[in-house]
Amino acid sequence: MRVFLIAGELSGDKLGAALMRGLKSRLPDVEFRGVAGPLMQAEGMASLFDMTELSIMGIVEVLPKYFALKRRIRETAQAALDWKADVVISIDSPDFCLRVAKILKAQSNIPTVHYVAPSVWAWREGRGPKMAKVIDHVLALLPFEPPLMQKSGMTCDFVGHPIVAEPKATQDEADAFRASHGLSSETPLILALPGSRRGEVSRLGGIFGAALAQAVKEIPKARVVLPIAPGVRNLVRELVEGWDISPPVILLETDSSAAGQAEKRAAFAAADIALAASGTVSLELAHARTPMVIAYDMNWLSRKMIARLLKVDTVTLVNLVSERRDVPEFLGENCRPENIAPALVDLWKSPQSQLASMEITMERLGEGGEDPGARAAESVIVALAP
């Protein structure tokens, strides 16, 4: 089987890699082509171009890249057509992926699968019916999404979130991480996660730095650790140099290697609390049982436009899946250091409610069940069956 995959972000790269493993275990002769990140490439797939070209978020942020993205859309669709793919599986990044699918539907009968249901429960409800015109089958990460996709005219399976199958650092590994950085078991450790895209890191870097500087003054002997996402190393280092935090922030050079991922997991497990940009990282923190405060801001125009369309009172997945509101979040105009810092201090003092929400979330996402990548692969195979 020829499977053409498209991933546009680091989170999509994780989903794609898990799906590839699941497909390889069921279909020994499966072949892969498309757009991939480092994890998918490690599974044996060459990428048409650098996936980071698609890692753009925000309406205004896309405008300078519009014509380059249009060209990549055409190139990607043509590559799938030329290869005569048996199925095209797009992973998240709907603004790019669904445009590719539209071209494919106009020129072929190649089945299309989209991995990650659009958040129609959050905003832009009309995306479901539009998506159904170009997508045949959906792989959903959240248990409440299949009925919404089916209502729009697509088949859909809840396959769980791959985060539940990812390894966790042991307590020994967390202790070793602390020891390697000269931290005792009693030292409060705050994890800083300002994002993986250049745009969001640039916007959030100063806000996070100021919030953390205030928080560490209220948390005795606290330290801050920041794992640096690939692609933003120099930018993060420059930003952190301007942070008024003492002792200095511990910077981790993480990458997709086994050692890099192991150190990142150890940092998550060793941390007492985290300040993170909004996104799927909230599930990584829930998986590690690391209590968090979420903060995010966008370009002013993007912020105003999205705020008008938003249908829910929270964007944090832990809050949504658990159906509780224990993760504090500061978005848009509320993403300010003077708001964020007290929430970090309060969370450090009393994390119990949030830890309970994390337990509920991970259970509902499939923790302890069949590997989500395997479930996704089976869903694709069944959907393609005659």
Side-chain angles (χ1 to χ4, degrees), residues 4 37 130 145 147 155 190-192 238 272 313 332 371:
F4 193 94
K130 290 180 181 178
E145 292 176 323
T155 58
I190 305 173
L191 188 66
E238 290 174 9
D272 295 291
D313 64 341
D371 178 83

Side-chain angles (χ1 to χ4, degrees), residues 1-5 31-34 78-87:
M1 178 184 286
R2 294 183 173 186
V3 178
F4 193 94
L5 292 156
E31 300 177 64
F32 300 105
R33 288 192 186 178
Q78 193 60 51
L81 292 167
D82 291 345
W83 191 41
K84 296 181 172 58
D86 293 306
V87 61

Side-chain angles (χ1 to χ4, degrees), residues 178 183-189 220-221 272 348:
R178 282 178 167 270
L183 307 175
S184 76
S185 61
E186 303 300 318
T187 302
L189 185 60
K221 300 182 180 179
D272 295 291
W348 174 70

Side-chain angles (χ1 to χ4, degrees), residues 5-17 34-41 45-56 69 72 91 93 96-97 196-197 230:
L5 292 156
I6 308 168
E9 301 184 53
L10 292 176
S11 57
D13 188 35
K14 286 186 179 181
L15 293 168
V35 182
L39 297 177
M40 292 167 68
Q41 292 178 51
M45 176 178 165
S47 187
L48 292 174
F49 52 85
D50 192 331
M51 181 190 73
T52 59
E53 290 186 31
L54 309 184
S55 298
I56 305 169
L69 288 170
R72 289 304 195 192
I91 307 171
S93 302
F96 181 89
C97 290
S196 58
R197 304 180 186 92

Side-chain angles (χ1 to χ4, degrees), residues 18 21-22 159 162 165 369-376:
R21 288 192 294 272
V159 298
E370 185 181 10
D371 178 83
R375 292 172 64 177

Side-chain angles (χ1 to χ4, degrees), residues 66 70 73 77 94-104 134:
Y66 177 77
K70 290 278 285 185
I73 288 167
D95 290 332
F96 181 89
C97 290
L98 298 186
R99 284 173 171 79
V100 172
K102 182 177 180 180
I103 295 173
L104 294 173
V134 297

Side-chain angles (χ1 to χ4, degrees), residues 144-155:
F144 52 79
E145 292 176 323
L148 299 172
M149 297 297 97
Q150 292 158 3
K151 180 181 177 181
S152 294
M154 297 165 281
T155 58

Side-chain angles (χ1 to χ4, degrees), residues 68-143:
L69 288 170
K70 290 278 285 185
R71 185 181 71 253
R72 289 304 195 192
I73 288 167
R74 293 191 299 270
E75 290 174 358
T76 303
Q78 193 60 51
L81 292 167
D82 291 345
W83 191 41
K84 296 181 172 58
D86 293 306
V87 61
V88 172
I89 304 174
S90 53
I91 307 171
D92 212 356
S93 302
D95 290 332
F96 181 89
C97 290
L98 298 186
R99 284 173 171 79
V100 172
K102 182 177 180 180
I103 295 173
L104 294 173
K105 282 300 179 185
Q107 300 184 31
S108 75
N109 60 355
I110 299 174
T112 53
V113 176
H114 193 65
Y115 199 168
V116 183
S119 303
V120 297
W121 39 265
W123 68 305
R124 289 172 62 187
E125 189 173 2
R127 286 178 297 173
K130 290 180 181 178
M131 180 173 162
K133 295 177 181 179
V134 297
I135 295 295
D136 301 308
H137 185 63
V138 180
L139 306 174
L141 304 187
L142 305 177

